[in-house]
Every structure is written in C-alpha cells, then in structure tokens.
Amino acid sequence: MTTTNKDSKNPKFGHLPLSTSGPQECALSGTALLRSPYLNKGSAFPSNERHDFKLFGLLPPNVQTLDEQVQRAYEQYSSRQNDLAKNTFMTSMKEQNEVLYYRVRGADGDCSDISGLTSARRGQLIQDHLKEMFSIIYTPTEGDAIQNFSRLFRKPEGCFLNIYDQDRIHDNMAQFGDPEDIDYIVVTDGEEILGIGDQGVGGILISVAKLVLTTLCAGIHPSRTLPVVLDCGTHNKQLLDDELYLGLRRPRVRGKEYDQFVDTFVQSARKLYPRAYIHFEDFGLTNARRLLDLYRPHMSCFNDDVQGTGCVTLAAIMSGLHVSKLQLTDMRMVIFGSGTAGTGIADQVRDAISADSGKSKEDAAGQIWCVDKPGLLLKSHGDRLTNAQIPFARDDNEWQGKSHGDLLAVVKEVKPHVLIGTSTRPKSFTEEIVKEMAKHVDRPIIFPLSNPTRLHEADPKDINEWTEGRALISTGSPFPPVEYNRRKYEVAECNNSTCFPGIGLGCVLSRSRLLSDKMLVAAVKALAAQSPALQDPDKGLLPDVVNVREISVRIAKEVIKQAVEEGLATEKDIPRDDNELEEWIREQMWEPRYRPLVRVEKEQASKIARGELGVGGVKREST
C-alpha cells in the first residue's frame, strides 16, 4: 500500500476528478459554510480558515482536533437512552457535519484518553467502534427508524417520486446535479424492507442507509450519491390509518402503471446521470428479479437482495468447501426459503458451478434443491412458481414415491453438504434436521441467514452442539464465537456490506457499461480469498466487517480488471499493474478527514465548492 501525505496532491493520480488528496476549494463563508454538511468542520476550523472564511464570532474560540470532536460526539451518542434515539442522533449529526459523522462511526467507545494512544491502538479503536455501530445505523435499528419515519421526520433527505406525478420525474431528479455529478443511485419502492415488509415512503431511509454504507465501506463520495424512493402507495394498513403518514395514503399500485412509473424513473436517471450506477433495493418478491432481468442487459445496475446476498453467501460457501476439501462441482445444496434472497443465492451458486465446470446452467441447477411453503419446488407447481424459482423446480418423476413435503424429508433424501436458510421461520433448522444432515457429511455447512436475529432458522450455539463442533456456520446477523469441548469456533456473518460496496466502487471507477456475471464472480472470488478460514479452519468463513475498506479495494480491483477484460470499462487510462491499480482506487475513495480549504470566488467555483452537490447541499434555484 502506498502511503502519502493526503494534504498534498498525489503526484501520480492527484489530477483525477475524484481525487481526495490535497486542498479542497470552497466558495462559501460565514454561516453558509457552517450549514454545509460536506464542508463544515465546526470547532475544528483552524485559525487561518476562520479568518479566510469569516468564521470569527460564529464559533467558540478554542480550535479542536477531529479526535476531540469524536470524543464529544461519542459521549453525546452514548447518553441516548435507546438504540432508536442513537440512530436519530446520528442522522442529525450527518445533516450537520459529514466528516464527523463518518469518523464517529469509525472510533471506539473508550475515547477518554485517545491522545495518548499509539497509531496502532487508535486503528484498533476505529475497528471496534465500526462493528458496534453497524447495528445502530443499519439493521436492526434502521428498521425501527423506517417504521417510525413519518413520526420522526424533521428534514427531507433524498428524492421523493410518486406514481401520480410522473410528468415531473425528470425535473424532480434534475435538481440534484448535472450529468457528471452523480455516481451512485439507490432506489427502492419500499415494499419489502429489511424483513419488516411494506413501509411505503419510509423506504427512503433504506436508500439513505445503503448509501451511507457505500461511503463508509468503499469510500463512495457522499456528495455524489442520490437516494430515491418510488412511492406507489402501500398495503400497510397501519400506515394507511396513520394521520401523520407522509406518503400516498392509498393501496399500492401494481401492473402496467407501476411498470411505467419504474421505467420513467430509470430512463430519467440514465438521461440525467448517464455515468451513474443504479442499485435497486428492497423491491417486492414479484418485482425484484423481474426488474433486474429487464434492465441489467442495458445498463450498469445491481440488486443487493438478489445479487448481493448471493455473492456474499457464495463466498462463504467457497471458503467452507475449502475447509471441507470439497469441490464446488461436487456439492449438493438445499435452500430453505425460496424468495428473493434464496433464489438469488441459488442463481449465484449455479452460475459459479457452470463457470467452474463448463456445465450448462440447467445442469448446474441440478445440484441445488429449493424448498418453500409447499415443500420442495416441483415443476408441477406451475403458476405458483415465481420466475426466479422456475429454473430450480425439480422434475416430479425424480420424486415419485418419495416424501418431499417438508425440509426434513428433503434433507434425508438429498444428503446435502450445504444447508441455507432464508425462510424467516425461526428455529426451523431443528435438532433432528441438523443431526440428519451431519450423519452423511463430515463438515456440514449450515447458514441460518434470516434477519433480524429473532427470525434465524437456528442458533449457532445449538448447531455447533448438535454437530459436535463439526459444522461450518455463517449467519445473517452478528453472533459471538461458539465452543465445543473447549474448542472455540468463530461464526462468520454473511454481511452484504463486505461485498456490495466494493462491487459498486469497481463499477463507478471503471464506468462500466454493464455489471456482468463474470464481474460478480470476480467479486466473489476476491471476497473468498480474504477468508480467515483459509489459514485456520476455526476462524470465520468470511473476513470481518471491521476490515471492510481494504476488502472493498480488493473487490473493486478484481471487478475493474474483469470489466476491462470484457471491454465494458469506459474510463480511460485505468492502470494495468496491480499495485498501481490499487493506488488509483484508493486515491479516489472519500475519507472522513478534514482537508485544508482554499478560498475561491463563487463565479469560478465548482458546484462542490459552492456546497450545491449531495442531498444535503444547497439546492439550485429553478429556472
């Protein structure tokens, strides 16, 4: 890794538009500067900048460091009485000072004597605090914030589009910048949020939260992102009956009108921001896969529920197969819960088997058995199958005279090496099922992935006990290590945040025209290569989220290389040397640090220098 003084321009890549080294231009002054969350430093403005930007008299006289600000902010955060109050506090901080917001989420709870710490220990503090705060700014606490969106609402963030105002979609979206200003868009229709279902217009907060993770985990510039919600009503009766609900108070619109709404958004986004990568998030079961299949051949886009979950789970499976000394092409896998996440995992595993073995996708799908409410998916289920389930439905003749109505029966017959849970049915991986699987497999790979924790198919501690410490386990939420006969085993978390930000970073920096299957496989292999279990089988199958920025660099590097190889990358002068490519990537990753400010006149200033970019920026006047 190349280390440079980031206050000076990188001599090799400092000319890049997304460069993060060297001073930053600023055309704001006085209270306008203090109101800009992207440029504001608060009490950390040094004396020379207080003079140059007319801040004397607007701030207390003592100049503080960013570390001192972090200490104060963390003490305030810790004083909040519950997790939702902490989430709300962090949202308020983000609206005031983005650097401090991202740094507080990267500091440790024990900030009482940070000045005396070594740089290595300070780095450890950053890691500890990052892990602590994930559950506050994302699942499960963000789910609570989304459910209470209309009651906690204070300031809008993002772009709100509604199905009865389609003629204005283009103009509404145009307020957020010029064609080169937006790199990453997250859009949701709010129908299937974080396992809590239809949340209507409150879904905007999942778009915001996902973009926070892209900045935190992969250095996507926060001023160059756009969260969007497509409000087409809601089927949530509690919201419809709530007089304070801020969205459309009518049942959710479906069919042709809905499709036209989504397409109007997509075409407007592509016209206004042609270089932007579009991330679909938490669309309902009937739409998530269908929309991805519709738009994926034509633009660089991604669905985290379908592809992100599939990629991170496949990486964990690959690590588990390495420990168990089994080839992907010889593996048998059962998936319990065949909705968006389950079929997304099936897709990624099938594609990887096909790529490794040269088998057709149809033949590769023969190694996967999907179980849902009616039991094993069979072709005779016909219209009850979703489009995503059809490729994995088994021929009825295979199961003639065999029991297939429940998970235990399928496990007995298939004898799987891998068992995946995406059912949201708590405790459905019973002792009998797990022990049946363990009879036939030396190192059973068992992933209860349903979120939140209360919906997990089994507790890792029980799985470990039932398999006498032989199971290789990954979960959808954090769990402590488990122990059997005094042997400790680390439970990996299948956290999409270790995967999707790096994929997005690779697409943004390469300006790839599409996100191909091979680019996704490259991302999976890059993630799996960083598994601690490759060195020690008692370690987690996936790298810890505390190392996520380095993980994202490695993933982005492989995604970019694959995009270049396939002729999909449109960015010029992408380095071919691996070390240079990593430096090129890091130079363009935003970091939560205060850059020196240089005053420029407003007439000659860029939009970022005028504080106009980003959803927290000063919006331009309509003309």
Side-chain angles (χ1 to χ4, degrees):
M1 181 191 307
T2 301
T3 57
T4 59
N5 176 9
K6 296 283 281 189
D7 284 349
S8 302
K9 276 289 183 186
N10 182 301
K12 192 178 297 182
F13 300 121
H15 65 284
L16 296 170
L18 296 183
S19 167
T20 57
S21 63
Q24 187 166 12
E25 293 183 344
C26 178
L28 300 178
S29 63
T31 55
L33 177 53
L34 297 178
R35 287 198 299 265
S36 169
Y38 191 74
L39 296 169
N40 182 27
K41 300 181 183 181
S43 61
F45 277 108
S47 182
N48 66 306
E49 291 181 359
R50 294 184 184 209
H51 175 272
D52 293 345
F53 295 96
K54 300 180 180 179
L55 297 173
F56 283 119
L58 299 178
L59 292 166
N62 185 29
V63 176
Q64 296 195 306
T65 65
L66 180 53
D67 283 338
E68 288 171 330
Q69 288 182 316
V70 167
Q71 178 181 343
R72 178 191 299 107
Y74 188 80
E75 289 176 359
Q76 293 171 355
Y77 165 89
S78 299
S79 71
R80 294 325 191 249
Q81 67 273 27
N82 57 53
D83 288 349
L84 184 56
K86 290 177 179 179
N87 177 284
T88 302
F89 171 80
M90 293 301 291
T91 298
S92 178
M93 184 187 299
K94 182 171 180 283
E95 294 168 353
Q96 299 171 55
N97 184 329
E98 287 191 332
V99 168
L100 181 57
Y101 169 79
Y102 285 104
R103 274 296 287 269
V104 167
R105 294 174 50 213
D108 181 69
D110 182 13
C111 295
S112 57
D113 190 24
I114 197 168
S115 60
L117 297 171
T118 65
S119 59
R121 174 60 183 144
R122 199 172 296 181
Q124 184 61 45
L125 294 183
I126 288 172
Q127 293 177 353
D128 291 347
H129 196 96
L130 170 63
K131 198 166 185 177
E132 171 200 345
M133 279 192 156
F134 247 87
S135 65
I136 300 298
I137 51 87
Y138 196 54
T139 181
T141 311
E142 186 66 13
D144 295 336
I146 291 168
Q147 286 180 303
N148 289 279
F149 171 74
S150 294
R151 294 186 171 272
L152 296 175
F153 180 83
R154 289 181 298 185
K155 181 180 179 182
E157 183 174 9
C159 181
F160 298 81
L161 305 176
N162 87 72
I163 197 165
Y164 297 120
D165 212 3
Q166 295 191 41
D167 290 343
R168 276 204 279 257
I169 287 177
H170 184 278
D171 290 344
N172 292 347
M173 293 187 66
Q175 299 176 88
F176 294 90
D178 292 327
E180 72 281 3
D181 292 336
I182 300 296
D183 292 330
Y184 201 123
I185 297 171
V186 175
V187 60
T188 185
D189 71 353
E191 186 173 5
E192 197 60 50
I193 301 289
L194 291 175
I196 57 175
D198 190 341
Q199 298 300 318
V201 76
I204 188 65
L205 293 187
I206 196 61
S207 295
V208 171
K210 283 290 184 176
L211 287 170
V212 164
L213 294 182
T214 67
T215 298
L216 178 71
C217 301
I220 298 292
H221 291 235
S223 65
R224 299 180 61 84
T225 64
L226 179 58
V228 179
V229 63
L230 305 179
D231 189 352
C232 47
T234 178
H235 284 321
N236 185 327
K237 188 175 186 301
Q238 186 175 352
L239 295 179
L240 292 174
D241 291 343
D242 184 353
E243 62 183 12
L244 295 182
Y245 177 58
L246 290 166
L248 293 175
R249 295 179 66 179
R250 61 141 297 154
R252 184 172 286 274
V253 177
R254 300 195 184 279
K256 186 176 180 180
E257 190 176 2
Y258 172 87
D259 289 347
Q260 181 182 0
F261 181 36
V262 174
D263 193 61
T264 301
F265 155 74
V266 169
Q267 301 312 324
S268 296
R270 294 187 69 191
K271 184 174 181 180
L272 288 165
Y273 310 115
R275 291 156 62 90
Y277 171 80
I278 298 180
H279 172 141
F280 295 98
E281 184 68 29
D282 286 344
F283 283 73
L285 178 62
T286 58
N287 293 317
R289 170 59 60 90
R290 182 175 65 85
L291 294 174
L292 180 65
D293 290 345
L294 176 63
Y295 293 111
R296 194 176 174 219
H298 309 292
M299 66 184 192
S300 186
C301 65
F302 178 81
N303 185 305
D304 191 42
D305 308 293
V306 177
Q307 297 164 298
T309 302
C311 285
V312 73
T313 305
L314 175 57
I317 290 170
M318 286 180 163
S319 301
L321 294 177
H322 175 88
V323 173
S324 57
K325 297 178 172 58
L326 187 70
Q327 297 297 312
L328 185 64
T329 50
D330 298 324
M331 175 203 70
R332 297 183 300 276
M333 179 173 74
V334 169
I335 297 176
F336 183 57
S338 302
T340 300
T343 55
I345 294 168
D347 276 349
Q348 295 299 327
V349 173
R350 176 200 62 192
D351 293 351
I353 293 171
S354 177
D356 277 7
S357 66
K359 290 181 179 180
S360 67
K361 288 188 177 182
E362 184 178 357
D363 288 343
Q367 294 179 222
I368 302 167
W369 288 259
C370 291
V371 180
D372 210 72
K373 292 175 184 177
L376 182 68
L377 298 186
L378 299 172
K379 291 182 179 178
S380 61
H381 289 143
D383 292 343
R384 286 184 289 169
L385 298 172
T386 66
N387 289 336
Q389 292 172 342
I390 289 172
F392 302 101
R394 313 296 297 199
D395 194 309
D396 290 64
N397 292 332
E398 293 177 26
W399 290 80
Q400 198 75 35
K402 300 175 183 177
S403 178
H404 53 73
D406 58 52
L407 180 59
L408 177 61
V410 174
V411 168
K412 282 182 176 179
E413 183 64 30
V414 173
K415 301 176 177 58
H417 303 96
V418 180
L419 177 61
I420 307 290
T422 51
S423 67
T424 67
R425 287 181 55 185
K427 303 188 184 304
S428 51
F429 289 178
T430 63
E431 181 176 359
E432 185 178 9
I433 288 171
V434 171
K435 285 186 171 180
E436 176 63 33
M437 180 181 178
K439 281 183 192 176
H440 311 285
V441 180
D442 182 46
R443 299 299 303 268
I445 299 171
I446 303 177
F447 296 173
L449 300 180
S450 292
N451 277 322
T453 305
R454 60 183 172 80
L455 300 180
H456 266 38
E457 286 79 8
D459 190 303
K461 183 179 178 182
D462 291 333
I463 295 173
N464 196 50
E465 289 283 340
W466 297 336
T467 61
E468 300 177 330
R470 292 186 289 123
L472 300 168
I473 308 167
S474 187
T475 56
S477 296
F479 276 89
V482 294
E483 197 170 316
Y484 184 82
N485 283 347
R486 297 184 179 179
R487 184 177 179 181
K488 187 175 288 188
Y489 176 76
E490 292 183 7
V491 179
E493 180 189 359
C494 269
N495 189 329
N496 290 18
S497 301
T498 59
C499 195
F500 82 82
I503 294 172
L505 178 64
C507 289
V508 165
L509 296 186
S510 66
R511 303 298 175 183
S512 182
R513 292 186 291 106
L514 303 172
L515 174 56
S516 69
D517 287 343
K518 290 183 178 180
M519 290 165 69
L520 290 174
V521 171
V524 169
K525 289 182 176 179
L527 179 57
Q530 298 174 80
S531 166
L534 301 185
Q535 307 301 323
D536 181 347
D538 290 331
K539 297 292 185 182
L541 295 175
L542 292 170
D544 200 299
V545 72
V546 297
N547 303 312
V548 68
R549 282 181 74 95
E550 184 60 27
I551 294 167
S552 293
V553 170
R554 303 287 180 84
I555 290 175
K557 180 178 72 172
E558 297 306 320
V559 167
I560 290 168
K561 288 166 63 177
Q562 186 60 44
V564 170
E565 183 176 324
E566 293 184 67
L568 296 173
T570 63
E571 185 64 37
K572 296 178 180 178
D573 302 321
I574 296 175
R576 297 301 180 115
D577 176 79
D578 271 14
N579 290 331
E580 275 206 355
L581 180 55
E582 285 197 15
E583 183 182 353
W584 183 83
I585 292 168
R586 287 191 174 93
E587 173 62 20
Q588 299 179 84
M589 292 171 68
W590 186 85
E591 297 176 0
R593 66 182 185 87
Y594 292 137
R595 296 169 64 182
L597 296 182
V598 176
R599 184 165 180 78
V600 293
E601 295 303 317
K602 187 165 287 189
E603 294 73 20
Q604 286 79 43
S606 65
K607 287 187 290 298
I608 190 69
R610 298 196 300 267
E612 293 177 357
L613 284 190
V615 293
V618 180
K619 299 297 184 293
R620 297 169 296 167
E621 294 295 328
S622 299
T623 57

